[in-house]
Amino acid sequence: EEESFPLLTDLFEVRGVLPDSEFNTKKVIDKKSKETFVLRLLSGQRQDEEESVDKFNYLYEKELTYYGQLSDVRSVKEGLYYLRPLYERNKLKDYVRKTELFNKRAIEELGSNELKLILQVMKEVNDLPISHADINEHNILVLTKRRWRLHKDMTIKIVGFTSDDITKEEMEKQFHTMWERLLGEGFYKDFRNKFSL
């Protein structure tokens, strides 16, 4: 007899759909634990396509390597899914716009927090143990925690992984192009020269 799998909606409350060019990705709340996660789904009809299954499994391995914690891959009536942690969506693009960084015209005007941000993002991208084929200002999140009075702790998280791989050089190119878009080409060129990046 056929195993009966639950429906996604039996297990989760779906709170929104996240951009994903490959799979169905949703923001969900686990009905039992009340925790919020990102859920990636390989739909039932694609489970018969070997290539789709391989890509899904490969992406799972990549995200496991980066996030360090994912659920197992589980079955529901709709297909296969896994969960990863959800981070507040504070995109680098919005963060730069909200801070003074956006209006800086000369490197001398950069404060230590702004320098720290650029270098921390750089470190996170450089230290990626896996390939990310789409490094851009929407896929980099800036998570801040206020500590003490004004001191802010900053963590950079990367999202938007796909099963595609590109070389380290290509990733670096995307990284620099992104900062040129965010800070202006001339300004970023000076920055790169000053720090020999």
Side-chain angles (χ1 to χ4, degrees):
E1 88 199 64
E2 208 182 308
E3 227 184 310
S4 65
F5 294 115
L7 283 163
L8 265 184
T9 47
D10 294 340
L11 306 171
F12 304 102
E13 205 179 299
V14 177
R15 278 298 167 91
V17 175
L18 299 171
D20 186 337
S21 54
E22 281 188 302
F23 302 105
N24 297 333
T25 299
K26 304 169 193 306
K27 178 180 169 181
V28 299
I29 295 174
D30 184 317
K31 287 186 173 177
K32 266 203 194 115
S33 72
K34 300 291 179 242
E35 282 182 77
T36 309
F37 295 99
V38 171
L39 178 145
R40 263 194 219 271
L41 178 74
L42 175 69
S43 62
Q45 58 263 35
R46 291 179 66 191
Q47 277 179 264
D48 305 331
E49 305 165 14
E50 201 179 321
E51 193 189 350
S52 294
V53 175
D54 289 347
K55 283 184 166 185
F56 190 73
N57 290 332
Y58 183 53
L59 181 55
Y60 177 83
E61 291 303 325
K62 277 172 84 165
E63 292 206 309
L64 185 58
T65 303
Y66 179 68
Y67 297 114
Q69 59 182 90
L70 297 180
S71 72
D72 295 332
V73 175
R74 303 187 183 123
S75 295
V76 280
K77 282 207 167 63
E78 294 88 338
L80 296 174
Y81 77 90
Y82 65 86
L83 305 172
R84 74 157 172 80
L86 174 89
Y87 302 100
E88 49 175 309
R89 307 289 293 176
N90 195 6
K91 297 177 188 155
L92 180 61
K93 181 179 185 170
D94 303 329
Y95 190 81
V96 167
R97 287 251 151 91
K98 275 191 295 210
T99 57
E100 288 303 300
L101 188 53
F102 192 55
N103 302 315
K104 298 287 157 92
R105 290 291 162 258
I107 296 172
E108 294 68 44
E109 295 175 14
L110 288 176
S112 61
N113 274 347
E114 292 152 345
L115 276 177
K116 195 171 127 187
L117 171 72
I118 299 174
L119 297 172
Q120 224 173 315
V121 171
M122 189 170 289
K123 184 175 170 11
E124 189 68 22
V125 172
N126 275 338
D127 293 352
L128 270 179
I130 50 180
S131 166
H132 193 304
D134 194 12
I135 299 285
N136 66 49
E137 56 274 41
H138 302 283
N139 284 335
I140 294 175
L141 304 181
V142 183
L143 314 178
T144 51
K145 274 206 284 288
R146 286 217 175 268
R147 287 197 349 192
W148 305 104
R149 285 210 181 133
L150 291 168
H151 183 73
K152 271 204 285 200
D153 266 1
M154 191 190 302
T155 314
I156 305 299
K157 279 289 173 197
I158 298 179
V159 294
F161 287 99
T162 61
S163 65
D164 295 333
D165 285 336
I166 60 174
T167 63
K168 273 278 192 210
E169 290 75 43
E170 290 173 294
M171 280 168 64
E172 211 167 288
K173 207 168 139 191
Q174 286 186 1
F175 174 86
H176 292 308
T177 309
M178 168 187 83
W179 280 113
E180 280 172 13
R181 278 196 303 271
L182 287 171
L183 303 179
E185 227 166 303
F187 179 90
Y188 188 63
K189 202 170 259 156
D190 291 348
F191 182 85
R192 283 186 74 175
N193 287 339
K194 179 163 178 164
F195 292 97
S196 10
L197 301 173

